[in-house]
């Protein structure tokens, strides 16, 4: 049954479930600091843009309608309802009479946390008179946060990923991940509605179920979602095996599955839905139409499904507008292009009408949405160097958290580790190992080869251990544990190889007395854990810690010397499923700490300075958005968690659809402020748009050649 959750609050800002997670801090004093990596996160900057659907697309009529600073995505053009307009400050109401502003609801990532904003934008006339781009680059804008991560009443911040908002009369309908599903590897993604006037919030998704990509019908009465139903996530990271369900927007009741296998629904009228799925006949991802019965029972059998877009083009993330049976908007990937573009699809002529490729052929354009009168299409795209504006490249990006005693940062690099006093950070930036002070100063490259993992010697000053060689390589590939004297004057002798057997040796971590190193090695044909002399390397003594025909890896020695934490697939060797284990350095006391669930991945455990907790990365919270709508990641899951050594107090620190990993726990507190390393010269939107979309199916028996 669906339990409606009702939370009343005076402001419009949601005090989502900030209950059990607060003030559980393992370090006294100022609190803890954790830094982690997000794959590729600093490599893109999205803004929302719009084009007219009635004028030929051109550079001069593409308008950027978000701020050019935050990461802005997943827009929605609402019908300006009284409840929405009443949120605006008075003076903007007056201004509204003299112009026709654009109303936009969208997701915005500010200070590392996503919020839903409502903007009113002047200068973007929705009628025929298009203003020049230069004028519109800086439109006047009123911004109203609708849902944010910060609750002013409690002073708490709440991280939760919010995706694809829409408005139904008085209610904002959106996705949030703030409630623990309670099951490993089960998504926390659920649809909520919040009454704008009162802040009354209800969960519309039943417990135990994950819903994505909600869309509200023109009347507001019905919401359609892509959902796992009872099936759950099985680890898929390309297309999700979701079905489309429809339920009452008011309270989530009358929930019915209407389409098997489909995603990203949108409504034209109360009985017509569009959605995407990969064609089982020809393999092209295409847009389909579902016609629900006007009367009689609503079941998957009573729904008529028709294919809309033809093979030969991948067409997905459709957008509709109320009662527009003439055209829809879609994103496409055409054979031969690496870029995703927004196009219209003429439903009468059955043909595509290209839009964004004619404006910016070498940019990605994502998740289109249409205005209620169909005159505009919106989408998000890399902002480029709008107005010569350069966003700072953040070395440490502060992420707001659920507690005030935790500083959480995203680092622009991977495998960070702290020097014993916390005054320096070593990290990897392929190819090379760098050291830098936490304030961003003194950045230097200390090793210029392919390397991964870093760990500081706790006793010998300025000694950093790393693994030199390729990542994710076989047991037989040569990877060596190296030590780097980062302050050595003579760089030619600063690097020493501690393993020399030509096999795959990696993830070194020193014992607290600096005498030994635990690492993983594939020397017997399987990756197991070994301990060797820290100064002389394996020639100074080598002990085997674990043994078995499986993979033990990513080991970390506790600061009190009692435990070594590691990730292992020993319960299902070769399955790709990793769980966290603990073992004493003398080989006794082996136990499992985190159960990942079937096929789950839990990796990169790192001890807290007091040795009582671990931070790690896991797919424990499943996937938070349809990957095709969120393409800038190799795998769109992986969040940062902490847990006590007895398995209690599991806390989720990140809520996003990115791949977060390689955390480090600082020995001292770093104040929660952004650290800028350098100015960015170019906006680099260098991600690959869903590598799996490059696999084009055959058309009429022959492979499409690019
Ligand atoms: C981020 O936080 C700082 C300080 O808390 C604040 O001044 C700034 O406006 C915030 N940035 C955004 C984009 O909200
Ligand atoms: C929406 O629901 C209301 C109240 O139940 C009803 O009066 C109205 O007819 C419904 N609209 C449509 C289009 O179904
Ligand atoms: C192994 O190490 C643990 C933790 O230090 C200790 O409690 C235990 O007695 C040791 N066992 C043996 C057999 O040395
Ligand atoms: C940015 O451009 C300036 C001037 O052209 C140059 O000196 C600087 O090195 C560049 N910075 C980066 C990070 O490329």
């Amino acid at each position: 049954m669906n339990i409606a959750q009702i939370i009343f609050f005076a402001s419009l800002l949601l005090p989502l479930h900030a209950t059990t997670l607060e003030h559980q801090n393992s370090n006294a004093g100022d609190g803890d600091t954790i830094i982690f990596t997000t794959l590729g996160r600093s490599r893109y900057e999205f803004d929302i843009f719009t084009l007219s659907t009635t004028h030929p697309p051109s550079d001069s009529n593409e308008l950027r309608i978000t701020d050019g600073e935050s990461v802005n995505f997943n827009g929605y053009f609402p019908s300006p309802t009284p409840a929405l307009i009443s949120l605006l400050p008075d003076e903007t109401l007056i201004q509204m009479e003299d112009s026709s502003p654009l109303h936009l609801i969208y997701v915005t990532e500010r200070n590392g946390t996503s919020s839903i904003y409502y903007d009113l934008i002047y200068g973007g006339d929705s009628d025929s008179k298009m203003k020049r781009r230069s004028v519109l680059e800086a439109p006047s804008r009123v911004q109203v946060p609708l849902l944010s991560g910060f609750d002013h009443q409690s002073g708490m911040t709440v991280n939760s990923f919010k995706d694809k908002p829409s408005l139904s009369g008085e209610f904002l309908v959106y996705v949030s991940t703030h409630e623990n599903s309670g099951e490993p590897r089960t998504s926390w993604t659920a649809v909520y509605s919040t009454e704008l006037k009162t802040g009354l919030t209800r969960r519309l998704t039943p417990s135990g179920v994950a819903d994505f990509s909600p869309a509200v019908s023109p009347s507001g009465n019905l919401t359609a979602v892509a959902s796992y139903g009872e099936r759950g996530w099985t680890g898929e990271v390309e297309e999700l095996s979701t079905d489309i369900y429809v339920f009452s927007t008011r309270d989530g009741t009358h929930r019915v599955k209407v389409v098997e296998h489909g995603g990203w629904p949108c409504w034209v009228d109360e009985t017509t839905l569009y959605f995407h799925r990969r064609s089982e006949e020809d393999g092209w991802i295409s847009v389909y139409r579902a016609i629900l019965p006007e009367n009689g029972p609503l079941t998957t059998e009573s729904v008529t499904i028709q294919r809309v877009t033809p093979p030969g083009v991948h067409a997905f993330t459709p957008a509709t507008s109320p009662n527009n049976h003439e055209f829809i908007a879609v994103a496409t990937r055409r054979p031969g292009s690496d870029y995703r573009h927004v196009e219209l699809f003429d439903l009468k002529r059955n043909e595509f009408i290209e839009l964004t490729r004619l404006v910016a052929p070498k940019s990605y354009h994502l998740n289109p949405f249409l205005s209620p009168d169909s005159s505009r299409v919106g989408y998000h795209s890399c902002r480029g160097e709008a107005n010569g504006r350069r966003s700072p490249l953040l070395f440490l990006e502060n992420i707001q958290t659920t507690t005030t005693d935790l500083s959480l940062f995203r680092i622009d690099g991977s495998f960070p580790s702290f020097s014993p006093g916390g005054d320096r950070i070593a990290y990897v930036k392929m190819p090379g190992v760098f050291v830098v002070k936490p304030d961003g100063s003194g950045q230097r490259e200390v090793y210029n080869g392919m390397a991964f993992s870093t760990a500081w010697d706790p006793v010998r000053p300025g000694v950093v251990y790393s693994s030199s060689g390729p990542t994710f390589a076989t047991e037989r590939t040569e990877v060596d544990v190296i030590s780097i004297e980062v302050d050595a004057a003579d760089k030619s002798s600063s690097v020493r190889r501690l393993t020399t057997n030509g096999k795959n040796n990696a993830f070194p971590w020193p014992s607290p007395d600096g005498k030994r190193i635990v690492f993983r090695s594939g020397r017997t044909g399987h990756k197991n854990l070994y301990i060797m002399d820290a100064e002389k390397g394996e020639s100074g003594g080598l002990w085997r810690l674990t043994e078995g025909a499986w993979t033990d890896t990513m080991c970390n020695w506790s600061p009190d010397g009692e435990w070594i934490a590691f990730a292992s697939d020993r319960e299902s060797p070769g399955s790709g499923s990793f769980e966290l284990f603990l073992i004493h350095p003398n080989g006794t006391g082996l136990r499992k700490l985190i159960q990942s669930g079937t096929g789950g991945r839990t990796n990169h455990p790192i001890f807290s300075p007091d040795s009582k907790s671990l931070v790690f990365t896991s797919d424990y919270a499943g996937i938070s958005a349809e990957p095709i709508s969120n393409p800038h990641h190799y795998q769109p899951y992986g969040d940062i968690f902490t847990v006590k050594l007895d398995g209690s107090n599991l806390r989720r620190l990140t809520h996003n659809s990115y791949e977060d990993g390689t955390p480090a726990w600082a020995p001292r507190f770093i104040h929660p402020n952004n650290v800028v390393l350098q100015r960015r010269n170019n906006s680099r939107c260098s991600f690959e748009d869903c590598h799996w979309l490059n696999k084009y199916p055959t058309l009429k028996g022959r492979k499409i050649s690019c």
Side-chain angles (χ1 to χ4, degrees):
M1 269 314 292
N2 175 27
I3 299 158
Q5 287 196 308
I6 298 172
I7 306 166
F8 183 79
F9 53 98
S11 75
L12 274 167
L13 301 164
L14 264 185
L16 296 174
H17 269 213
T19 48
T20 54
L21 300 179
E22 308 317 323
H23 297 297
Q24 291 161 342
N25 171 28
S26 63
N27 271 0
D30 279 332
D32 292 302
T33 296
I34 287 170
I35 66 178
F36 65 94
T37 304
T38 299
L39 215 68
R41 170 58 182 74
S42 53
R43 295 288 168 271
Y44 70 85
E45 301 166 312
F46 287 134
D47 263 311
I48 296 176
F49 293 80
T50 174
L51 276 171
S52 162
T53 58
T54 55
H55 291 67
S58 74
D59 200 35
S60 63
N61 67 21
E62 186 189 48
L63 318 178
R64 176 170 60 77
I65 49 176
T66 45
D67 66 5
E69 284 173 18
S70 318
V71 179
N72 303 304
F73 58 102
N74 284 0
Y76 173 79
F77 287 130
S79 291
T81 61
L84 189 64
I85 288 173
S86 71
L87 302 176
L88 297 168
D90 285 351
E91 63 270 26
T92 57
L93 280 171
I94 298 158
Q95 282 179 42
M96 265 173 65
E97 286 163 18
D98 336 313
S99 60
S100 46
L102 270 177
H103 299 257
L104 175 71
I105 292 177
Y106 61 106
V107 184
T108 182
E109 222 183 271
R110 299 173 186 217
N111 289 358
T113 303
S114 50
S115 311
I116 297 176
Y117 266 55
Y118 164 42
D119 285 13
L120 199 61
I121 303 130
Y122 304 97
D125 292 339
S126 55
D127 62 13
S128 58
K129 239 178 86 203
M130 300 303 289
K131 304 234 170 120
R132 288 197 51 78
R133 187 187 177 112
S134 54
V135 176
L136 291 157
E137 287 294 3
S140 54
R141 174 186 292 108
V142 177
Q143 301 191 15
V144 182
L146 296 180
L147 291 170
S148 107
F150 189 73
D151 170 38
H152 289 281
Q153 269 185 317
S154 63
M156 292 295 173
T157 53
V158 180
N159 282 327
S160 60
F161 181 70
K162 302 175 181 71
D163 212 356
K164 209 184 179 216
S166 50
L167 188 72
S168 158
E170 315 274 287
F171 295 92
L172 187 69
V173 175
Y174 57 97
V175 169
S176 180
T177 54
H178 63 276
E179 285 184 288
N180 189 343
S181 65
E183 287 288 321
R185 249 191 154 210
T186 300
S187 177
W188 297 20
T189 304
V191 174
Y192 296 81
S193 86
T194 295
E195 191 176 8
L196 292 176
K197 217 183 301 174
T198 62
L200 194 76
T201 294
R202 284 171 200 271
R203 179 177 168 129
L204 303 179
T205 299
S207 64
V209 167
D211 286 344
F212 305 94
S213 321
V216 178
S217 68
S219 76
N221 287 2
L222 300 173
T223 294
V225 292
S227 177
Y228 274 126
E230 277 85 62
R231 203 180 323 154
W233 184 49
T234 54
E236 67 268 27
V237 296
E238 299 182 355
E239 291 148 77
L240 302 188
S241 50
T242 52
D243 302 320
I244 294 176
Y245 283 71
V246 167
F247 52 77
S248 161
T249 308
R250 202 164 53 85
D251 55 9
T253 58
H254 302 98
R255 186 181 168 99
V256 179
K257 188 201 285 188
V258 295
V259 173
E260 291 265 6
H261 179 200
W264 205 262
C266 52
W267 300 85
V268 172
D269 56 39
E270 299 303 298
T271 57
T272 313
L273 276 170
Y274 286 75
F275 62 95
H276 63 213
R277 75 155 59 135
R278 189 188 281 274
S279 160
E280 272 154 32
E281 286 95 63
D282 52 52
W284 291 91
I285 302 170
S286 304
V287 172
Y288 290 75
R289 182 190 298 121
I291 300 171
L292 315 187
E294 304 255 352
N295 305 299
L298 181 56
T299 64
T300 48
E301 282 75 37
S302 67
V303 172
T304 306
I305 293 176
Q306 301 161 342
R307 184 171 184 166
V308 174
T309 61
V313 179
H314 285 316
F316 44 88
T317 57
T320 49
S321 47
N323 302 310
N324 177 354
H325 294 274
E326 303 289 318
F327 63 86
I328 58 172
V330 294
T332 62
R333 272 289 294 275
R334 290 178 173 271
S337 170
D338 290 337
Y339 294 93
R340 172 186 301 214
H341 283 292
V342 170
E343 307 190 27
L344 302 182
F345 188 78
D346 186 322
L347 297 166
K348 296 283 184 300
R349 296 162 180 251
N350 284 329
E351 60 190 30
F352 289 100
I353 303 162
E354 288 194 282
L355 291 179
T356 61
R357 194 184 62 82
L358 308 173
V359 176
K362 297 203 168 170
S363 260
Y364 307 96
H365 300 80
L366 289 81
N367 301 1
F369 53 102
L370 286 167
S371 60
D373 66 358
S374 303
S375 69
R376 289 202 159 274
V377 62
Y379 45 86
H380 61 271
S381 184
C382 297
R383 69 175 59 113
E385 279 201 82
N387 281 347
R389 196 195 289 268
R390 289 179 199 160
S391 304
L393 176 57
L394 298 180
F395 171 62
L396 292 179
E397 180 185 7
N398 180 237
I399 310 289
Q400 291 180 351
T401 64
T402 51
T403 59
T404 47
D405 54 9
L406 173 69
S407 260
L408 186 65
F409 294 95
R410 173 181 286 145
I411 185 172
D412 183 40
S414 54
F415 298 103
S417 68
F418 286 90
S419 63
D423 55 343
R424 283 196 287 180
I425 301 170
Y427 65 99
V428 168
K429 195 125 196 200
M430 300 284 183
V433 177
F434 292 79
V435 295
V436 65
K437 292 192 179 138
D439 67 2
S441 68
Q443 186 210 26
R444 288 188 289 121
E445 187 180 68
V446 294
Y447 181 70
N448 66 5
M450 284 295 281
F452 59 100
S453 85
T454 66
W456 290 78
D457 190 289
V459 177
R460 293 186 293 146
V463 173
V464 169
Y465 302 98
S466 186
S467 346
S468 164
T471 54
F472 298 112
T474 63
E475 286 80 0
R476 280 177 199 82
T477 310
E478 177 162 7
V479 177
D480 284 312
V481 171
I482 58 172
S483 70
I484 308 164
E485 286 184 50
V486 303
D487 301 320
D490 180 6
K491 274 195 124 186
S492 64
S493 62
S494 63
V495 175
R496 292 174 47 223
R497 279 180 199 274
L498 302 179
T499 54
T500 49
N501 66 347
K503 300 285 167 43
N504 194 332
N505 305 291
F507 295 107
W509 199 277
S511 58
D513 61 9
K515 295 203 164 100
R516 292 173 294 164
I517 289 174
V518 62
F519 66 107
R520 71 110 173 98
S521 176
R523 59 189 62 217
T524 61
H526 298 289
K527 291 173 179 170
N528 292 146
L529 302 187
Y530 295 78
I531 292 175
M532 67 178 167
D533 187 273
E535 278 196 79
K536 299 198 185 82
E538 61 174 284
S539 62
L542 183 74
W543 303 270
R544 187 172 187 144
L545 181 62
T546 64
E547 181 164 6
W550 54 65
T551 296
D552 299 319
T553 187
M554 301 175 187
C555 33
N556 185 258
W557 208 313
S558 65
D560 66 6
E562 282 290 293
W563 293 104
I564 287 165
F566 62 102
S568 177
D569 71 350
R570 56 180 58 212
E571 294 197 336
S572 181
S575 66
S577 179
F578 281 84
E579 287 158 322
L580 291 197
F581 289 83
L582 292 170
I583 192 169
H584 287 307
N586 63 15
T588 67
L590 177 77
R591 67 185 167 90
K592 182 164 65 179
L593 181 59
I594 295 289
Q595 171 69 44
S596 306
T598 315
R601 290 190 183 87
T602 300
N603 284 316
H604 294 294
I606 301 285
F607 280 95
S608 59
D610 66 5
S611 301
K612 288 182 181 151
S613 300
L614 283 162
V615 63
F616 59 94
T617 182
S618 179
D619 62 2
Y620 183 92
I623 210 161
S624 296
E626 284 189 61
I628 199 167
S629 72
N630 179 60
H632 32 84
H633 306 284
Y634 193 78
Q635 50 185 35
Y637 63 87
D639 283 294
I640 305 297
F641 292 80
T642 57
V643 70
K644 296 255 191 219
L645 284 208
D646 63 3
S648 68
N649 202 11
L650 182 74
R651 295 168 67 192
R652 178 178 181 179
L653 302 186
T654 59
H655 288 254
N656 56 50
S657 59
Y658 311 139
E659 182 183 352
D660 299 320
T662 66
W665 204 316
R668 70 175 195 204
F669 189 69
I670 301 176
H671 284 281
N673 298 318
N674 290 334
V675 175
V676 179
L677 191 58
Q678 60 196 152
R679 296 297 291 181
R680 187 180 284 185
N681 281 356
N682 298 301
S683 172
R684 293 161 297 175
C685 243
S686 57
F687 61 84
E688 187 184 6
D689 182 20
C690 291
H691 55 98
W692 46 276
L693 282 175
N694 291 330
K695 288 178 265 168
Y696 292 104
T698 52
L699 178 61
K700 291 186 186 121
R702 76 194 153 83
K703 183 109 174 67
I704 297 281
S705 59
C706 302

